Amino acid sequence: MNAPASRNSEHHWANQPERGNMRSMRLTAWAARRLGRRVVAPVVWLVVLYFCLSGAKARRSVAQYQAYLRAACPDANPFPTPMPIYRQYLAFAGALLDKLDAWQGKVTIHDLDVADPDGLHAQMGTGRGQILVGAHLGNMEVCRALASQNADIVLNVLVHDKNAVHFSRLLDEAGTSRLRLIQVSELDTATMLALSERIDRGEWLALAGDRIPLHGARTVDVSFLGHTAPLPQGPWLLAGLLRCPVNLLFCTRQHARFNVSMERLADSVSWTRATRTTQVQRLAQAYADRLAAHCRQAPLQWFNFFPFWSSHA
């Protein structure tokens, strides 16, 4: 287990300057709503090309991920040619537009292919709440929007960075006020009490397991795509403190449809001071293995634009 090194703080994803701004995001969102995505697409392509060409650090991070994934798939090249890095940027832009579509109700259950072998969706809205751990893979907002259409399901999304608030503001402007974003900087006593009360009320918590908070975070090293990478301990510590089931949630796009995967990772997470290290390591590695499997299925849709393996590669 490791605490994040301060010497790497300048490379932390949360410290990367926001290269867009609310005015351009708002204009793009307005145009997509009023004119349609096909009309807006050429403009989006040009904007994405600019960010791809002008962001050397982000471009190197995408190239590193693609190289590691290729090595993990020796029998075939998982990326399309030509220009696989630019295509990954395009996939990210498309996912942003998908988010707006989802929260405006343009994505329905009929657009989803759901794999739910443990019957998790049927458990939502009944009994105590549970935890969903996702990733910056594909489009989790599709699942959140569909959940919000059911009045019995309350889904709280935990975020660590202030940049998420910008997108939340766009959702509000699009008329989607049912999104519950909870910004947390650390799991202090007050935060834990509030989250425990939500779980007891039957509400569910969703958070990403592939981003490390800037302050107060402890990490665990895992093997991800054949290389050592740090992942946050937070999701697994939270599950143990709340004594509730923890599940995995991934949603990727395949042409005009979305593939949703919901699966149980642990029926209950329990650890003591003596067993915490082992338990957190086991859960984090299991998560990393499942994330890697989904990256192989949707290689362009893991949206990582910062040096994920920087201190280990």
Side-chain angles (χ1 to χ4, degrees):
M1 304 289 179
N2 306 295
S6 59
R7 58 187 171 86
N8 290 326
S9 62
E10 68 271 18
H11 301 301
H12 192 280
W13 64 270
N15 276 339
Q16 303 307 308
E18 204 176 348
R19 300 177 61 228
N21 56 61
M22 274 301 295
R23 181 176 298 176
S24 60
M25 291 171 65
R26 186 179 291 112
L27 179 60
T28 302
W30 176 88
R33 292 198 305 271
R34 300 295 183 182
L35 305 178
R37 289 179 60 160
R38 289 189 178 183
V39 175
V40 174
V43 177
V44 173
W45 296 339
L46 291 176
V47 172
V48 168
L49 180 61
Y50 164 76
F51 282 114
C52 181
L53 294 177
S54 63
K57 183 181 295 183
R59 198 169 60 246
R60 286 194 298 268
S61 297
V62 174
Q64 183 184 46
Y65 156 70
Q66 293 191 357
Y68 286 174
L69 186 55
R70 284 193 190 94
C73 303
D75 296 332
N77 181 4
F79 295 98
T81 56
M83 300 184 296
I85 294 177
Y86 174 61
R87 287 171 181 250
Q88 188 137 3
Y89 275 77
L90 279 178
F92 178 66
L96 293 179
L97 295 177
D98 286 339
K99 294 174 194 284
L100 290 172
D101 284 349
W103 286 105
Q104 292 179 86
K106 295 180 180 179
V107 179
T108 71
I109 191 68
H110 303 293
D111 300 309
L112 303 185
D113 296 318
V114 181
D116 183 13
D118 301 302
L120 300 181
H121 188 263
Q123 298 174 31
M124 300 181 76
T126 63
R128 289 187 81 237
Q130 302 182 31
I131 293 177
L132 290 169
V133 183
H136 289 75
L137 174 82
N139 201 331
M140 282 182 63
E141 276 71 13
V142 169
C143 306
R144 297 169 188 166
L146 291 174
S148 72
Q149 295 175 6
N150 187 332
D152 295 328
I153 298 176
V154 179
L155 187 60
N156 305 277
V157 183
L158 308 187
V159 297
H160 297 291
D161 64 304
K162 61 182 181 297
N163 293 335
V165 177
H166 295 320
F167 191 76
S168 178
R169 197 180 310 162
L170 279 183
L171 296 176
D172 289 338
E173 292 172 0
T176 58
S177 58
R178 301 193 65 175
L179 174 63
R180 285 193 176 184
L181 281 183
I182 302 176
Q183 187 172 344
V184 294
S185 57
E186 59 181 329
L187 295 176
D188 55 21
T189 303
T191 300
M192 283 302 307
L193 179 59
L195 295 180
S196 179
E197 291 174 348
R198 291 177 184 273
I199 288 290
D200 289 339
R201 290 198 300 264
E203 301 182 15
W204 285 46
L205 306 179
L207 68 163
D210 60 346
R211 287 292 189 270
I212 301 170
L214 181 59
H215 300 293
R218 298 190 64 83
T219 64
V220 55
D221 286 344
V222 299
S223 176
F224 179 56
L225 297 180
H227 296 262
T228 301
L231 289 180
Q233 296 183 30
W236 325 115
L237 294 176
L238 182 63
L241 291 170
L242 296 178
R243 298 298 177 101
C244 65
V246 59
N247 314 288
L248 302 183
L249 173 66
F250 301 104
C251 178
T252 56
R253 182 166 186 148
Q254 297 294 333
H255 304 294
R257 299 191 61 78
F258 296 93
N259 291 338
V260 178
S261 172
M262 302 177 69
E263 59 185 280
R264 178 83 82 210
L265 185 65
D267 290 322
S268 178
V269 177
S270 177
W271 43 258
T272 65
R273 185 184 297 268
T275 64
R276 181 177 60 189
T277 298
T278 302
Q279 291 285 3
V280 169
Q281 172 69 45
R282 178 181 64 83
L283 292 167
Q285 186 60 62
Y287 166 82
D289 292 342
R290 296 303 299 145
L291 176 58
H294 283 276
C295 285
R296 294 185 183 98
Q297 296 173 4
L300 291 177
Q301 296 183 52
W302 188 53
F303 301 128
N304 169 70
F305 299 98
F306 73 101
F308 193 78
W309 292 271
S310 60
S311 60
H312 302 270

